[in-house]
Amino acid sequence: MNQLISSITDRARVLLVSNSPNDVRELLYVLDRHNLGTGLAGDVEEGVELAAHGTDLILLDAALAGTNIGATCMRLRNAGGRHGVPLLLMSASPSAEEQGRSVGAGASDYIKMPFNARDVAEKILMELALHRAVAPGALPAAALATPPRPLHPQTLEVNYHAILAGSPDAVLLLDIDNSLLIDANHLAEELFGMPLADLLQGGMTPLLPKKQNDGHSSAQLLDEKIRETLQGKIVVFRASCCHRDNHPIECEMRLMRLSVPGRQLVHARIIDLTERNLADAMRSGQRALLEMVAKGAPLIPTLNQLLLLIEGQSRDVYCSIMLLDDDGRHMHSAAGPSLPPDYMAQLEGVEIGPGVGSCGTAMFLREPVVVSDIMHDPLWAPYRELAAPFGLRACWSRPIFGQDGAVLGSFAMYYREVRSPDAHDQGLIDTATDLAGIAIGRMRHERELQRHRTHLEELVAERTAALTQAKEQSEQANRELAAALENLSITQEELVRRDKLAALGALVAGIAHELNTPIGNGLVVATTMAERTREIQASFQGGLRRSELDAYLTQAGEADAIMLRNLQRAADLVNSFKQIAVDRASSQRRHFLLRQFVTELMLPMSTPLKAAGLSLTQDVPDGLAMDSYPGPLGQVLSNLLENCLRHGFEGRSGGRITITARGSGDGQGITLSIADTGVGIPADDLTHIYDPFFTTKLGSGGSGLGLHVAHNIVTGVLGGHIDAASSPAGTTFTLQLPVAAPQSGAA
């Protein structure tokens, strides 16, 4: 189109004289897109200077012309040495007086501001084309004489006809003086379904119905709009037109006066709004249908509304929707508002199959079925006599699917003529099946929900009865439980007392068991030596041989050694028993650095560790301080190290023990761990390591109290927690200790 306009205007130049660049900026852009040269002057003097270099059309803001519009127009039109340069006057405050003076001053037309840039650009193109068409010599003198006679299209040059041919819309040229159409483009012929010769037989009135949709006369409407156009306005309005076959066409008309000397010509551009209106109707109809579905409207009225919407998008179409029964075999007539009820009734309950018309076949095959001619298609052979009385000749059907892929029914489009679907029809079918699938799926979902509600109500009734019975039983059980609770409260203190006695008994039994060996050994030795002493005393009175005395003294020495060992063992056991009852009051609390404390504690352990071939390393950061009980903490670490020495490296030569400490993120706690590379602790024993007297070295020096004492100190005096993890690769004891030990009971 731009190339066509460029050839028409031959790079014509347009001059705008205005001191309001914002008002004309869009117009400059549109003119540039039409390949027109443009210039902008801020006042009349600058406009005269630019016009002197040549221009083909001038737009003048009336506000710059002042009161002497005529003189200003003449200066601008004659500045380039050419006479008759077309000038359009723009005015933000139009008046009849100003318009009259502008016409008298030679202005070709009068434009009210603000304006539509595209409309004004089109008007400029028309003025340029017509100015060349009616330039001196272009029309014979007789054409300018009065009274005016009809202006034949051949009297116009090719410029205007080329613009009509290149227009994207239908265009008519109306001779107002003779009430005749004198030109039209091919799009006008297509719009009205009439050849050019028929169009030019009359004016515009035959192209409109007698009355518009609002009931007003079309002739009066057209006369009113033409009067406004002849006053210089670019008139835009909507009107209903008629196709040759009498179907209505909703249009937008844009009327523009063309300034041809001695003639009143109106350029009419007609935009077909049919597709736009159909699209608007489809959008609003879809919204309304989805609202009906969302609000739970009944299915049949919803489907009828859908079919009426689709029928409104195409002429002479009749739509139907069939629903497939739950058995998946029989179809039912659901909706067909424009089809004969007798025809729909005859389809009720028909079983689907591969040759059951369009709908039955589509549902059976799960694919679209297009029958362009019912009378000659084998799918309709059994049903031709059914469709013939109603004049149905074509039927296209598509199955409607649910979200789970199941066939819900079918949508069909009928015509009373032989035809096949085009792209527009396919789009309507897509929309209809999608919306129908939503509506039918919602109905089935609601039906399923209702079935579940009914079932749920039955379950609720049954459950209510069961709960009532259970309530009565529970009340009886509560009464029994209340009595049992009363008895339990009475015996609770007795059970606690018994548990304490049982624990004490177990402890005493353990102590007795451990002390029994050294005391029993001592008792046997003492009894033996007492008997031996009585024998020596008796022998002494009868005479004592030296050998007997030596034997007695030897036995006495051995007995003393045995007694001392067993007494020392008993004393050690008693000392261990004393440690079980942790006494925080006897411990000294102080501030100390953990690294220095561990270093000092490890010094006496270095000798036995070296003797066992073990290495001891510590990883304790500097500055890690505690406010706690170093004595009990040292006892815990010593017990853990002795446990490593005694149990961890049996059967292994060499190994490593590592002591690691880290502070917590909040600075309130310390994690202290002792890890070895020993044999580990069996999983069955790991759960009993803190039990008193539990040891795997019974009879070889182990009392089974070391870890028990360590556990009591960590959880009691130090206020922390101890954990153990073990595997065949070694054992790790982890102590979680507060930086500040608990205050309760501290000295």
Side-chain angles (χ1 to χ4, degrees):
M1 179 66 180
N2 285 343
Q3 294 177 352
L4 178 62
I5 295 299
S6 177
S7 65
I8 292 171
T9 58
D10 194 21
R11 193 62 180 175
R13 291 161 295 176
V14 178
L15 172 63
L16 278 75
V17 183
S18 171
N19 63 355
S20 301
N22 290 334
D23 294 338
V24 297
R25 180 179 289 112
E26 184 179 359
L27 177 59
L28 290 170
Y29 172 74
V30 175
L31 293 176
D32 181 67
R33 291 190 62 187
H34 283 301
N35 200 32
L36 292 172
T38 57
L40 178 63
D43 54 38
V44 174
E45 297 302 323
E46 185 180 1
V48 171
E49 181 179 350
L50 292 177
H53 293 86
T55 185
D56 295 294
L57 185 143
I58 302 171
L59 272 79
L60 170 64
D61 189 340
L64 296 179
T67 57
N68 195 358
I69 292 178
T72 302
C73 292
M74 290 297 295
R75 288 186 62 198
L76 289 169
R77 295 183 68 193
N78 298 329
R82 294 173 53 190
H83 298 286
V85 173
L87 183 145
L88 305 180
L89 198 67
M90 304 179 294
S91 177
S93 54
S95 64
E97 180 185 356
E98 183 181 70
Q99 183 175 2
R101 287 190 287 122
S102 67
V103 174
S108 299
D109 215 331
Y110 187 80
I111 301 173
K112 296 181 180 180
M113 301 172 64
F115 49 72
N116 182 289
R118 293 180 60 188
D119 291 339
V120 173
E122 184 176 9
K123 188 173 187 65
I124 290 172
L125 291 172
M126 295 298 104
E127 289 293 338
L128 288 171
L130 289 174
H131 177 70
R132 295 181 178 186
V134 298
L139 292 178
L144 302 179
T146 55
R149 61 184 178 83
L151 183 65
H152 194 275
Q154 292 180 350
T155 62
L156 295 177
E157 288 187 349
V158 71
N159 295 347
Y160 180 76
H161 299 290
I163 290 178
L164 262 64
S167 173
D169 302 307
V171 177
L172 302 173
L173 181 61
L174 179 64
D175 181 357
I176 303 301
D177 297 322
N178 298 284
S179 299
L180 288 176
L181 290 175
I182 60 174
D183 204 353
N185 66 355
H186 70 284
L187 292 178
E189 298 179 49
E190 295 178 6
L191 178 64
F192 295 104
M194 301 169 63
L196 182 62
D198 292 344
L199 277 174
L200 303 185
Q201 291 297 318
M204 288 186 62
T205 303
L207 302 179
L208 278 67
K210 292 183 178 181
K211 292 186 178 295
Q212 291 293 307
N213 296 333
D214 58 4
H216 288 83
S217 168
S218 295
Q220 292 180 356
L221 172 67
L222 193 58
D223 289 344
E224 176 186 341
K225 299 304 180 183
I226 289 177
R227 281 197 303 271
E228 295 179 10
T229 305
L230 294 178
Q231 294 173 5
K233 299 178 182 179
I234 298 176
V235 179
V236 180
F237 64 99
R238 290 194 176 190
S240 180
C241 297
C242 276
H243 190 270
R244 186 171 190 171
D245 62 7
N246 292 324
H247 75 260
I249 310 172
E250 296 300 321
C251 298
E252 179 183 87
M253 292 194 177
R254 309 175 77 87
L255 304 183
M256 181 192 313
R257 188 187 69 188
L258 300 183
S259 55
V260 176
R263 290 290 178 267
Q264 295 190 94
L265 302 181
V266 171
H267 169 87
R269 181 155 58 97
I270 304 173
I271 302 172
D272 186 356
L273 300 179
T274 302
E275 291 187 5
R276 185 191 308 176
N277 292 341
L278 289 176
D280 292 341
M282 177 61 78
R283 283 193 294 270
S284 61
Q286 287 178 307
R287 286 195 299 269
L289 280 169
L290 292 175
E291 287 180 5
M292 293 178 68
V293 173
K295 293 178 180 179
L299 178 63
I300 301 306
T302 302
L303 295 181
N304 282 329
Q305 187 73 15
L306 168 62
L307 298 185
L308 291 174
L309 173 64
I310 299 300
E311 291 173 353
Q313 295 289 308
S314 181
R315 295 194 304 272
D316 302 326
V317 63
Y318 309 93
C319 300
S320 74
I321 289 179
M322 307 295 292
L323 295 182
L324 188 61
D325 203 347
D326 292 338
D327 63 6
R329 297 173 54 193
H330 297 85
M331 58 184 181
H332 300 280
S333 300
S338 301
L339 285 168
D342 292 344
Y343 173 75
M344 295 295 294
Q346 295 181 59
L347 299 179
E348 178 64 28
V350 173
E351 185 172 355
I352 65 174
V356 184
S358 300
C359 295
T361 305
M363 285 187 273
F364 182 82
L365 298 179
R366 299 174 58 89
E367 62 185 29
V369 173
V370 174
V371 174
S372 301
D373 187 353
I374 290 176
M375 294 297 109
H376 297 90
D377 195 291
L379 294 180
W380 277 82
Y383 305 99
R384 287 171 189 162
E385 299 305 322
L386 176 65
F390 304 102
L392 302 177
R393 293 299 306 272
C395 180
W396 319 325
S397 182
R398 180 182 292 184
I400 301 169
F401 295 101
Q403 292 183 347
D404 58 355
V407 176
L408 304 178
S410 66
F411 166 78
M413 299 176 76
Y414 289 87
Y415 288 88
R416 287 192 164 94
E417 61 181 352
V418 175
R419 58 168 294 182
S420 299
D422 55 21
H424 175 68
D425 298 324
Q426 293 288 359
L428 292 178
I429 294 172
D430 292 341
T431 301
T433 51
D434 289 343
L435 291 174
I438 294 172
I440 299 171
R442 173 62 181 268
M443 178 274 293
R444 292 202 171 189
H445 180 67
E446 288 292 336
R447 188 175 63 184
E448 187 68 14
L449 285 179
Q450 183 58 43
R451 188 177 66 83
H452 284 298
R453 288 193 197 101
T454 303
H455 181 58
L456 182 60
E457 290 175 358
E458 296 173 355
L459 291 177
V460 168
E462 295 175 2
R463 188 60 178 163
T464 301
L467 288 174
T468 301
Q469 182 180 359
K471 177 176 177 293
E472 296 174 355
Q473 294 175 350
S474 66
E475 289 176 350
Q476 177 62 29
N478 285 338
R479 289 191 291 269
E480 295 174 358
L481 287 174
L485 181 61
E486 184 177 355
N487 293 332
L488 182 62
S489 298
I490 295 173
T491 58
Q492 184 176 13
E493 293 183 1
E494 179 65 21
L495 290 175
V496 172
R497 186 178 65 81
R498 289 181 182 179
D499 286 344
K500 290 182 178 179
L501 290 176
L504 180 60
L507 181 60
V508 171
I511 293 173
H513 174 75
E514 293 295 326
L515 289 177
N516 184 60
T517 299
I519 293 176
N521 291 340
L523 182 59
V524 170
V525 171
T527 302
T528 302
M529 288 308 298
E531 182 64 28
R532 185 62 178 151
T533 300
R534 285 194 297 271
E535 292 176 357
I536 289 295
Q537 287 175 346
S539 298
F540 183 74
Q541 293 177 358
L544 182 65
R545 292 193 301 271
R546 182 181 180 84
S547 59
E548 292 177 342
L549 180 59
D550 288 340
Y552 173 77
L553 291 176
T554 299
Q555 291 177 352
E558 293 174 354
D560 287 344
I562 293 172
M563 290 290 290
L564 286 174
R565 285 198 305 272
N566 282 281
L567 289 174
Q568 183 61 49
R569 173 61 176 162
D572 291 341
L573 287 172
V574 171
N575 186 50
S576 297
F577 300 152
K578 290 172 62 179
Q579 293 177 2
I580 295 175
V582 180
D583 184 7
R584 202 171 355 197
S586 63
S587 303
Q588 296 297 321
R589 182 192 183 106
R590 65 181 175 86
H591 291 270
F592 59 92
L593 294 175
L594 186 58
R595 180 182 177 85
Q596 180 181 353
F597 170 76
V598 173
T599 301
E600 294 173 353
L601 183 66
M602 295 303 103
L603 287 176
M605 297 294 298
S606 59
T607 299
L609 290 172
K610 288 182 180 179
L614 302 176
S615 64
L616 176 64
T617 59
Q618 62 164 316
D619 181 12
V620 182
D622 292 331
L624 200 59
M626 297 185 70
D627 177 14
S628 189
Y629 301 96
L633 178 58
Q635 184 177 352
V636 171
L637 297 179
S638 297
N639 287 359
L640 294 175
L641 289 171
E642 289 177 1
N643 188 72
C644 291
L645 282 171
R646 189 181 298 273
H647 302 283
F649 296 94
E650 183 177 13
R652 293 193 182 186
S653 59
R656 184 175 67 256
I657 300 175
T658 304
I659 300 177
T660 305
R662 292 290 183 268
S664 62
D666 58 4
Q668 301 299 312
I670 290 176
T671 300
L672 184 62
S673 63
I674 298 91
D676 65 58
T677 59
V679 297
I681 303 173
D684 293 339
D685 294 342
L686 197 61
T687 58
H688 302 289
I689 58 176
Y690 302 121
D691 294 349
F693 309 111
F694 176 79
T695 179
T696 59
K697 299 293 184 181
L698 187 62
S700 59
S703 65
L705 293 174
L707 293 181
H708 178 69
V709 171
H711 180 274
N712 286 354
I713 292 175
V714 171
T715 58
V717 177
L718 302 180
H721 183 72
I722 182 171
D723 287 310
S726 186
S727 71
T731 302
T732 300
F733 285 92
T734 303
L735 282 62
Q736 302 289 345
L737 303 173
V739 170
Q743 295 289 341
S744 176

